[in-house]
Coordinates of all heavy atoms in Angstrom, one line a residue:
M306 N 21.3 53.4 88.9 CA 21.7 53.5 87.5 C 23.0 52.8 87.2 O 24.0 53.0 88.0 CB 21.7 55.0 87.0 CG 22.2 55.2 85.7 SD 22.5 57.0 85.3 CE 20.8 57.6 85.0
R307 N 23.1 52.2 86.1 CA 24.3 51.6 85.6 C 24.6 52.0 84.2 O 23.7 51.8 83.4 CB 24.3 50.1 85.9 CG 25.7 49.4 85.5 CD 25.9 48.1 86.1 NE 27.3 47.7 85.8 CZ 28.3 47.9 86.5 NH1 28.2 48.6 87.6 NH2 29.5 47.6 86.1
I308 N 25.8 52.3 83.9 CA 26.3 52.8 82.6 C 26.9 51.8 81.7 O 27.8 51.1 82.3 CB 27.1 54.1 82.6 CG1 26.4 55.2 83.4 CG2 27.5 54.5 81.2 CD1 27.3 56.2 83.6
K309 N 26.5 51.6 80.5 CA 27.2 50.6 79.6 C 27.9 51.6 78.5 O 27.0 52.4 77.9 CB 26.3 49.5 79.1 CG 26.6 48.2 79.8 CD 25.6 47.1 79.3 CE 25.8 46.9 77.7 NZ 24.9 45.9 77.4
A310 N 29.0 51.3 78.2 CA 29.6 52.1 77.0 C 30.3 51.1 76.1 O 31.1 50.2 76.6 CB 30.7 53.1 77.6
D311 N 29.9 51.2 74.8 CA 30.6 50.2 73.9 C 31.6 51.0 73.1 O 31.5 51.8 72.2 CB 29.5 49.9 72.9 CG 29.9 48.8 71.9 OD1 31.2 48.6 71.8 OD2 29.1 48.1 71.3
T312 N 32.9 50.6 73.5 CA 34.1 51.4 72.9 C 34.3 51.0 71.5 O 35.0 51.7 70.7 CB 35.3 51.1 73.7 OG1 35.5 49.7 73.8 CG2 35.2 51.8 75.0
E313 N 33.6 49.9 71.0 CA 33.7 49.5 69.6 C 32.8 50.5 68.8 O 33.1 50.7 67.6 CB 33.2 48.1 69.3 CG 33.9 47.0 70.0 CD 35.4 46.8 69.5 OE1 35.5 46.8 68.2 OE2 36.4 46.9 70.1
V314 N 31.9 51.0 69.4 CA 30.9 51.9 68.6 C 31.3 53.4 68.8 O 31.1 54.2 67.9 CB 29.4 51.7 69.2 CG1 28.5 52.6 68.6 CG2 29.1 50.2 68.9
C315 N 31.9 53.7 70.0 CA 32.3 55.1 70.3 C 33.2 55.7 69.2 O 34.2 55.0 68.8 CB 33.0 55.1 71.6 SG 33.8 56.7 72.1
I316 N 33.0 56.8 68.8 CA 33.7 57.5 67.8 C 34.6 58.6 68.3 O 35.3 59.4 67.7 CB 32.9 58.1 66.7 CG1 31.9 59.0 67.1 CG2 32.3 57.0 65.9 CD1 31.1 59.8 66.1
G317 N 34.7 58.7 69.8 CA 35.4 59.6 70.3 C 35.1 61.1 70.3 O 36.0 62.0 70.2
A318 N 33.8 61.3 70.1 CA 33.4 62.7 69.8 C 33.5 63.6 71.1 O 33.6 64.8 71.0 CB 32.0 62.7 69.4
G319 N 33.5 62.9 72.3 CA 33.8 63.7 73.5 C 32.5 64.4 74.0 O 32.7 65.1 75.1
M320 N 31.4 64.2 73.5 CA 30.2 64.9 73.9 C 29.8 64.6 75.4 O 29.3 65.3 76.2 CB 29.0 64.7 73.0 CG 29.2 65.2 71.6 SD 29.4 67.0 71.7 CE 27.7 67.6 72.2
C321 N 30.0 63.2 75.6 CA 29.7 62.7 76.9 C 30.6 63.4 78.0 O 30.1 63.7 79.1 CB 29.8 61.2 77.1 SG 31.6 60.7 76.5
V322 N 31.9 63.6 77.8 CA 32.8 64.3 78.7 C 32.3 65.7 78.9 O 32.3 66.3 80.0 CB 34.2 64.2 78.1 CG1 35.2 64.8 79.1 CG2 34.6 62.8 77.8
L323 N 31.9 66.4 77.8 CA 31.5 67.7 78.0 C 30.2 67.9 78.8 O 30.0 68.8 79.5 CB 31.2 68.4 76.6 CG 32.4 68.6 75.7 CD1 32.0 69.1 74.3 CD2 33.4 69.7 76.4
T324 N 29.3 66.8 78.7 CA 28.1 66.9 79.3 C 28.2 66.4 80.9 O 27.4 67.0 81.6 CB 27.1 66.0 78.5 OG1 27.1 66.3 77.1 CG2 25.7 66.1 79.1
A325 N 28.9 65.5 81.1 CA 29.2 64.8 82.5 C 30.5 64.5 82.7 O 31.0 63.3 82.7 CB 28.1 63.6 82.6
A326 N 31.3 65.5 83.0 CA 32.8 65.4 83.2 C 33.2 64.6 84.4 O 34.3 64.1 84.4 CB 33.5 66.8 83.2
K327 N 32.2 64.5 85.3 CA 32.6 63.8 86.5 C 32.5 62.2 86.3 O 33.0 61.4 87.0 CB 31.7 64.2 87.7 CG 32.0 65.5 88.3 CD 31.2 65.7 89.4 CE 31.4 67.2 90.0 NZ 30.3 67.7 90.8
V328 N 31.7 61.9 85.2 CA 31.4 60.5 85.0 C 32.2 59.9 83.8 O 32.5 58.7 83.9 CB 29.9 60.3 84.7 CG1 29.5 58.9 84.4 CG2 29.1 60.9 86.0
F329 N 32.5 60.7 82.8 CA 33.1 60.3 81.6 C 34.4 60.8 81.4 O 34.6 62.1 81.6 CB 32.2 60.5 80.4 CG 30.8 59.8 80.4 CD1 29.8 60.6 80.6 CD2 30.7 58.5 80.2 CE1 28.5 59.9 80.8 CE2 29.5 57.8 80.2 CZ 28.4 58.7 80.5
D330 N 35.4 60.1 80.8 CA 36.7 60.7 80.3 C 36.9 60.0 79.0 O 36.2 59.2 78.6 CB 37.7 60.4 81.3 CG 39.0 61.3 81.2 OD1 39.0 62.1 80.2 OD2 39.9 61.1 81.9
Q331 N 38.1 60.4 78.3 CA 38.3 59.9 77.1 C 39.7 59.2 77.2 O 40.6 59.7 77.8 CB 38.3 60.8 76.0 CG 36.9 61.2 75.5 CD 37.0 62.3 74.5 OE1 36.9 63.4 74.8 NE2 36.9 62.0 73.2
S332 N 39.9 58.1 76.6 CA 41.2 57.4 76.5 C 42.2 58.2 75.8 O 42.0 59.0 74.9 CB 41.1 56.0 75.7 OG 42.4 55.6 75.2
E333 N 43.5 58.3 76.5 CA 44.5 59.1 75.9 C 45.0 58.4 74.5 O 45.6 59.0 73.7 CB 45.6 59.3 76.8 CG 45.3 60.3 77.9 CD 46.5 60.4 78.9 OE1 47.5 60.0 78.6 OE2 46.2 61.0 80.0
D334 N 44.8 57.1 74.5 CA 45.3 56.4 73.3 C 44.4 56.7 72.0 O 45.0 57.1 71.0 CB 45.2 54.8 73.5 CG 46.2 54.5 74.6 OD1 47.2 55.1 74.8 OD2 45.9 53.4 75.3
D335 N 43.1 56.4 72.1 CA 42.3 56.5 70.8 C 41.1 57.4 71.1 O 40.2 57.5 70.0 CB 41.8 55.2 70.4 CG 41.1 54.5 71.4 OD1 40.8 55.0 72.4 OD2 40.7 53.2 71.2
G336 N 41.1 58.1 72.2 CA 39.8 59.0 72.4 C 38.6 58.4 72.8 O 37.6 59.1 72.8
T337 N 38.5 57.0 72.8 CA 37.2 56.5 73.1 C 36.9 56.7 74.6 O 37.7 57.0 75.4 CB 37.2 55.0 72.8 OG1 38.3 54.3 73.5 CG2 37.3 54.8 71.2
V338 N 35.6 56.5 74.8 CA 35.0 56.8 76.2 C 35.7 55.9 77.2 O 35.8 54.7 77.1 CB 33.5 56.8 76.1 CG1 33.0 55.3 75.8 CG2 33.0 57.3 77.5
V339 N 35.9 56.5 78.4 CA 36.2 55.8 79.7 C 35.2 56.3 80.7 O 35.0 57.4 80.9 CB 37.6 56.1 80.1 CG1 38.0 55.6 81.5 CG2 38.7 55.8 79.1
V340 N 34.6 55.3 81.3 CA 33.5 55.5 82.2 C 34.1 55.4 83.7 O 34.7 54.5 84.2 CB 32.4 54.4 82.2 CG1 31.3 54.8 83.2 CG2 31.7 54.4 80.8
L341 N 34.3 56.7 84.2 CA 34.8 56.8 85.5 C 34.0 56.4 86.6 O 34.5 56.0 87.6 CB 35.1 58.3 85.8 CG 36.1 59.0 84.7 CD1 36.2 60.5 85.0 CD2 37.4 58.4 84.7
E342 N 32.6 56.5 86.5 CA 31.7 56.2 87.5 C 30.6 55.2 86.9 O 29.5 55.8 86.4 CB 31.0 57.3 88.1 CG 31.9 58.3 88.7 CD 31.8 58.3 90.3 OE1 31.5 57.2 90.7 OE2 32.1 59.3 90.9
P343 N 30.8 53.9 86.8 CA 29.8 53.1 86.1 C 28.5 53.0 86.8 O 27.5 52.8 86.2 CB 30.4 51.7 86.1 CG 31.9 51.9 86.4 CD 32.0 53.2 87.1
E344 N 28.5 53.4 88.1 CA 27.2 53.5 88.8 C 27.3 55.0 89.5 O 27.6 55.1 90.6 CB 27.1 52.4 89.9 CG 27.0 51.0 89.3 CD 26.8 50.0 90.3 OE1 26.2 50.2 91.4 OE2 27.2 48.9 90.1
P345 N 26.9 55.8 88.7 CA 27.1 57.3 89.1 C 26.2 57.7 90.3 O 25.1 57.1 90.4 CB 26.6 58.1 87.8 CG 25.7 57.2 87.1 CD 26.3 55.8 87.3
P346 N 26.7 58.6 91.1 CA 25.9 59.1 92.2 C 24.6 59.7 91.6 O 24.5 60.2 90.5 CB 26.7 60.1 92.9 CG 27.8 60.5 92.0 CD 27.9 59.3 91.0
V347 N 23.6 59.8 92.5 CA 22.1 60.3 92.0 C 22.4 61.7 91.6 O 21.6 62.0 90.5 CB 21.3 60.3 93.3 CG1 19.9 61.0 92.9 CG2 21.0 58.9 93.7
D348 N 23.2 62.5 92.1 CA 23.3 64.0 91.5 C 23.9 64.0 90.1 O 23.8 65.1 89.6 CB 24.0 64.8 92.6 CG 25.5 64.5 92.7 OD1 25.9 63.5 92.1 OD2 26.2 65.2 93.3
Q349 N 24.4 62.9 89.7 CA 24.9 62.9 88.3 C 24.0 62.3 87.2 O 24.3 62.3 86.1 CB 26.2 62.2 88.3 CG 27.4 62.9 89.0 CD 27.7 64.2 88.3 OE1 28.0 64.3 87.1 NE2 27.7 65.3 89.1
E350 N 22.8 61.8 87.7 CA 22.0 61.0 86.8 C 21.5 61.7 85.7 O 21.3 61.3 84.5 CB 20.9 60.2 87.7 CG 21.5 59.1 88.5 CD 20.5 58.2 89.1 OE1 19.2 58.6 89.0 OE2 20.7 57.1 89.7
A351 N 21.1 63.0 86.0 CA 20.4 63.9 84.9 C 21.5 64.2 83.9 O 21.1 64.0 82.7 CB 19.9 65.2 85.6
A352 N 22.7 64.4 84.3 CA 23.8 64.7 83.3 C 24.1 63.4 82.5 O 24.3 63.6 81.3 CB 24.9 65.2 84.0
V353 N 24.0 62.3 83.1 CA 24.3 61.1 82.4 C 23.2 60.8 81.4 O 23.5 60.4 80.2 CB 24.5 59.9 83.4 CG1 24.4 58.6 82.7 CG2 25.6 59.9 84.3
R354 N 21.9 61.1 81.7 CA 20.9 60.8 80.8 C 21.0 61.8 79.6 O 20.8 61.4 78.4 CB 19.5 61.1 81.3 CG 19.0 60.0 82.4 CD 17.7 60.3 82.9 NE 17.5 59.6 84.2 CZ 17.3 58.3 84.4 NH1 17.3 57.6 83.3 NH2 17.2 57.7 85.5
R355 N 21.4 63.1 79.9 CA 21.8 64.0 78.7 C 22.9 63.4 77.9 O 22.8 63.5 76.6 CB 22.1 65.3 79.3 CG 20.9 66.2 79.6 CD 21.3 67.7 79.8 NE 22.2 68.0 80.8 CZ 21.9 68.1 82.0 NH1 20.6 68.0 82.4 NH2 22.8 68.4 82.9
A356 N 23.9 62.9 78.5 CA 25.1 62.5 77.7 C 24.6 61.3 76.8 O 25.2 61.2 75.7 CB 26.2 62.0 78.7
V357 N 23.9 60.3 77.2 CA 23.3 59.3 76.4 C 22.6 59.8 75.2 O 22.7 59.3 74.1 CB 22.5 58.3 77.2 CG1 21.8 57.3 76.4 CG2 23.2 57.7 78.4
Q358 N 21.8 60.9 75.5 CA 21.1 61.5 74.4 C 21.9 62.3 73.3 O 21.6 62.1 72.2 CB 20.0 62.5 74.9 CG 18.8 61.8 75.6 CD 17.9 62.8 76.3 OE1 18.2 63.9 76.4 NE2 16.8 62.3 76.9
V359 N 23.0 62.8 73.8 CA 23.8 63.7 72.9 C 24.9 62.9 72.2 O 25.5 63.2 71.3 CB 24.4 64.9 73.6 CG1 23.3 65.9 74.1 CG2 25.4 64.5 74.6
C360 N 25.2 61.7 72.7 CA 26.2 60.9 72.1 C 25.8 60.6 70.7 O 24.8 60.0 70.3 CB 26.4 59.6 72.8 SG 27.6 58.4 72.0
P361 N 26.7 61.0 69.7 CA 26.3 60.9 68.3 C 26.4 59.4 67.7 O 25.8 59.1 66.6 CB 27.2 61.7 67.6 CG 28.5 61.9 68.4 CD 27.9 61.7 69.9
S362 N 27.1 58.6 68.4 CA 27.2 57.2 67.9 C 26.3 56.2 68.6 O 26.3 54.9 68.2 CB 28.7 56.8 68.1 OG 29.0 56.5 69.4
G363 N 25.6 56.6 69.7 CA 24.8 55.5 70.4 C 25.6 54.6 71.1 O 25.2 53.5 71.4
A364 N 26.9 55.0 71.6 CA 27.7 54.0 72.3 C 27.3 53.9 73.7 O 27.7 53.0 74.4 CB 29.1 54.5 72.2
L365 N 26.5 54.8 74.3 CA 26.1 54.8 75.7 C 24.7 54.2 75.9 O 23.8 54.6 75.2 CB 26.3 56.2 76.3 CG 27.6 56.8 76.1 CD1 27.5 58.3 76.6 CD2 28.7 56.0 77.0
S366 N 24.6 53.5 76.9 CA 23.3 53.1 77.5 C 23.2 52.9 78.9 O 24.3 52.9 79.6 CB 22.8 51.7 76.8 OG 23.7 50.8 77.2
I367 N 22.0 53.1 79.5 CA 21.9 53.0 80.9 C 20.8 51.9 81.3 O 19.8 51.7 80.5 CB 21.5 54.4 81.5 CG1 20.4 55.1 80.8 CG2 22.7 55.3 81.6 CD1 20.0 56.5 81.4
S368 N 21.0 51.4 82.4 CA 20.0 50.4 82.9 C 19.7 50.6 84.4 O 20.4 51.4 85.0 CB 20.5 49.0 82.7 OG 21.7 48.8 83.3
Ligands
SF4_628 S1 29.9 61.1 73.2 FE1 29.6 58.9 72.5 S2 31.0 58.8 70.7 FE2 31.6 60.7 71.9 S3 33.2 60.0 73.3 FE3 31.2 59.9 74.4 S4 30.6 57.7 74.1 FE4 32.1 58.2 72.5

């Protein structure tokens, strides 16, 4: 799994961080998403899929 995050689209809602804290963080500057693990370990994949679903701006995608 590989995560793509579009920081132009991200509104800094932080849902991804709440859902998968080991994989996502937020920029201290503007609150937009920072992907800590672009290729997350298998045990994080379910949480990442949930994060993609709950992101209100559609900034996250996985391939
Ligand atoms: S949930 Fe979506 S909008 Fe919110 S910080 Fe994460 S990527 Fe950005």
Side-chain angles (χ1 to χ4, degrees):
M306 171 188 283
R307 183 161 186 90
I308 302 170
K309 258 178 55 182
D311 187 341
T312 53
E313 298 290 314
V314 173
C315 172
I316 57 172
M320 295 301 291
C321 54
V322 182
L323 291 174
T324 307
K327 291 181 182 164
V328 178
F329 300 103
D330 200 354
Q331 283 175 274
S332 158
E333 287 181 14
D334 295 333
D335 59 6
T337 56
V338 65
V339 175
V340 182
L341 302 174
E342 298 255 32
E344 295 185 28
V347 171
D348 68 353
Q349 290 297 306
E350 288 189 357
V353 170
R354 289 183 203 283
R355 275 198 299 279
V357 172
Q358 286 172 352
V359 299
C360 172
S362 68
L365 301 176
S366 60
I367 48 180
S368 56

